[in-house]
């Protein structure tokens, strides 16, 4: 039960953080692109529950959820969104480019599918060093047909790299339905030509995600090679904050919110297990305070010094 309460906390944190980020974007305090994770919280939280310290994460530009689930400070994440010096990339990376070596989070990446190749690089490093640590490479269904993804499958299978490929299938790559963009209708089978086992998972059910992730991670730790998980999920907002999402009916979004919301599912499960409503309210109040503090910090943190334009550009050999 404690594990489920922890999952509830982290999912609510991601939801409220993203809602606040959307508000700050609307106020003009966040510039550039901003891709919210609202609706997909069960995927990253369920996977994170199966990881150990030392395991590595890499993802696409819809990345705030992965950052928070990995334990990165909401203050630093929000400050990076607002381009402030207190952010994880000192205000120079913005929404899509934050990193934390401390939390083994190797960034969100703006080039579609590029993080998958980097993800197997992390897995190769794990194997080369003789550890049993695992790399998690997240990407969307829209990226699943990219050439570098299949090249990564080939190399990962060839060298038996400990990498779990996680497809976050939210059904719409930007504004195009996966039904119109992918000849493969069973994305979890996309690794079969290279002998990569796969599994389709209800990405709106954190417990189902956790169980599948545990099995996939264990497979990798045992040195058997990579594993592919297709998480069927749904984003409630547009592809980015600038997307009005007119390509899908409002009734579809309402149906998902009403009958398949991942946070509501966990809430019902906890109440069934005997957790008091007041305790859940206490968790939500705690999260509300954390997000409010992060927003205040992000708005009051100073802007980067102009000298930062010349840092982090080259690494001296």
């Amino acid at each position: 039960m404690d594990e489920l309460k922890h999952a509830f906390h982290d999912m609510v944190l991601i939801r409220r953080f993203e809602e606040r980020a959307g508000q700050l974007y609307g106020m003009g305090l966040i510039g550039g692109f901003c891709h919210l994770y609202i609706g997909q919280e069960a995927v990253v939280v369920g996977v994170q529950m199966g990881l150990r310290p030392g395991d590595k994460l890499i993802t696409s530009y819809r990345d705030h959820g992965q950052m928070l689930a990995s334990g990165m400070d909401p203050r630093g994440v929000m400050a990076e969104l607002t381009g402030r010096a207190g952010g994880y990339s000192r205000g120079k990376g913005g929404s899509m480019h934050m990193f934390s070596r401390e939390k083994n989070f190797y960034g969100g990446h703006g080039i579609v599918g590029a993080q998958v190749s980097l993800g197997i690089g992390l897995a190769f490093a794990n194997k080369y060093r003789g550890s049993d640590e695992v790399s998690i490479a997240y990407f969307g269904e829209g990226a699943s047909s990219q050439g570098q993804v299949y090249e990564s499958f080939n190399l990962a299978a060839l060298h038996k790299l400990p990498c779990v490929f996680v497809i976050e299938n939210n059904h719409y790559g930007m504004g195009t339905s996966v039904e119109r963009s992918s000849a493969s209708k069973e994305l979890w089978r996309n690794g079969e030509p290279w002998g990569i086992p796969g599994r389709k998972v209800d990405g709106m059910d954190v417990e189902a995600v956790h169980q599948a992730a545990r099995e996939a991670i264990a497979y990798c730790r045992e040195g058997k090679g990579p594993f592919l998980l297709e998480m069927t999920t749904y984003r409630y907002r547009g592809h980015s904050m600038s997307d009005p999402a007119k390509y899908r009916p409002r009734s579809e979004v309402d149906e998902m919110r009403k009958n398949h919301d991942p946070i509501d599912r966990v809430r019902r499960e906890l109440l069934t297990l005997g957790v008091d409503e007041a305790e859940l309210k206490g968790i939500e109040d705690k999260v509300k305070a954390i997000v409010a503090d992060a927003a205040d910090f992000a708005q009051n943190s100073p802007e980067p010094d102009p000298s930062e334009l010349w840092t982090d550009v080259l690494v001296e050999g």
Side-chain angles (χ1 to χ4, degrees):
M1 187 187 298
D2 288 342
E3 194 170 56
L4 198 58
K5 285 193 284 188
H6 181 73
F8 179 76
H9 171 277
D10 285 359
M11 291 166 69
V12 173
L13 174 61
I14 295 170
R15 177 73 59 90
R16 301 296 172 248
F17 182 96
E18 293 289 66
E19 289 172 346
R20 191 59 176 268
Q23 292 173 358
L24 294 180
Y25 186 94
M27 295 165 61
L29 297 175
I30 295 176
F33 290 102
C34 185
H35 304 81
L36 302 182
Y37 202 70
I38 297 173
Q40 300 182 207
E41 297 89 353
V43 175
V44 66
V45 172
V47 172
Q48 194 70 33
M49 289 163 66
L51 298 178
R52 298 198 311 224
D55 292 333
K56 298 167 179 63
L57 308 170
I58 194 166
T59 188
S60 68
Y61 42 75
R62 196 179 306 280
D63 50 7
H64 313 154
Q66 280 86 350
M67 296 169 191
L68 296 173
S70 68
M72 290 170 66
D73 186 352
R75 278 185 160 198
V77 177
M78 194 72 87
E80 188 61 38
L81 292 180
T82 57
R84 303 304 178 96
Y88 268 97
S89 296
R90 296 198 288 278
K92 299 187 295 181
S95 175
M96 295 191 284
H97 304 104
M98 282 184 252
F99 301 78
S100 174
R101 288 289 300 275
E102 176 190 5
K103 299 299 182 181
N104 288 304
F105 179 80
Y106 286 83
H109 294 266
I111 303 300
V112 176
Q115 74 277 9
V116 182
S117 300
L118 298 175
I120 67 167
L122 295 170
F124 181 84
N126 289 337
K127 183 175 181 178
Y128 187 79
R129 292 166 179 156
S131 78
D132 66 348
E133 294 167 354
V134 171
S135 168
I136 308 293
Y138 292 95
F139 57 105
E141 83 292 335
S144 65
S145 298
Q146 289 284 320
Q148 67 265 38
V149 172
Y150 290 109
E151 293 175 18
S152 298
F153 286 173
N154 178 62
L155 284 172
L158 181 65
H159 295 287
K160 292 189 180 300
L161 300 181
C163 184
V164 179
F165 299 107
V166 180
I167 302 175
E168 296 190 88
N169 183 1
N170 62 28
H171 304 290
Y172 295 94
M174 293 191 73
T176 304
S177 168
V178 67
E179 297 297 322
R180 296 175 54 217
S181 64
S182 176
S184 171
K185 305 306 178 186
E186 297 177 300
L187 304 183
W188 61 275
R189 302 184 65 177
N190 282 8
E192 287 185 352
W194 296 273
I196 300 175
R199 182 174 172 185
K200 185 175 183 177
V201 186
D202 181 358
M204 305 299 273
D205 182 345
V206 71
E207 292 180 287
V209 172
H210 179 206
Q211 182 59 38
R214 284 182 58 189
E215 294 172 6
I217 292 165
Y219 181 93
C220 291
R221 287 203 206 283
E222 292 167 6
K224 296 179 180 179
F227 203 101
L228 176 62
L229 295 173
E230 178 191 354
M231 303 289 183
T232 57
T233 185
Y234 198 84
R235 56 173 168 79
Y236 294 166
R237 302 290 184 89
H239 173 74
S240 69
M241 284 298 296
S242 61
D243 172 22
K246 293 182 179 179
Y247 44 81
R248 59 187 186 183
R250 183 67 202 177
S251 58
E252 179 180 295
V253 182
D254 291 342
E255 160 66 17
M256 293 301 296
R257 279 184 174 274
K258 181 179 179 181
N259 296 318
H260 303 281
D261 186 80
I263 296 176
D264 287 346
R265 187 193 295 248
V266 174
R267 182 194 298 278
R268 289 194 299 269
E269 178 69 16
L270 286 169
L271 291 173
T272 299
L273 292 171
V275 176
D276 190 77
E277 180 72 49
E279 184 176 355
L280 298 181
K281 180 65 165 56
I283 293 173
E284 292 177 312
D285 288 343
K286 177 183 177 182
V287 165
K288 183 178 179 181
I290 292 171
V291 172
D293 173 72
D296 289 342
F297 177 81
Q299 294 175 77
N300 294 317
S301 182
E303 293 187 355
D305 188 273
S307 64
E308 286 288 346
L309 285 170
W310 312 108
T311 62
D312 304 318
V313 177
L314 299 174
V315 176
E316 294 186 10

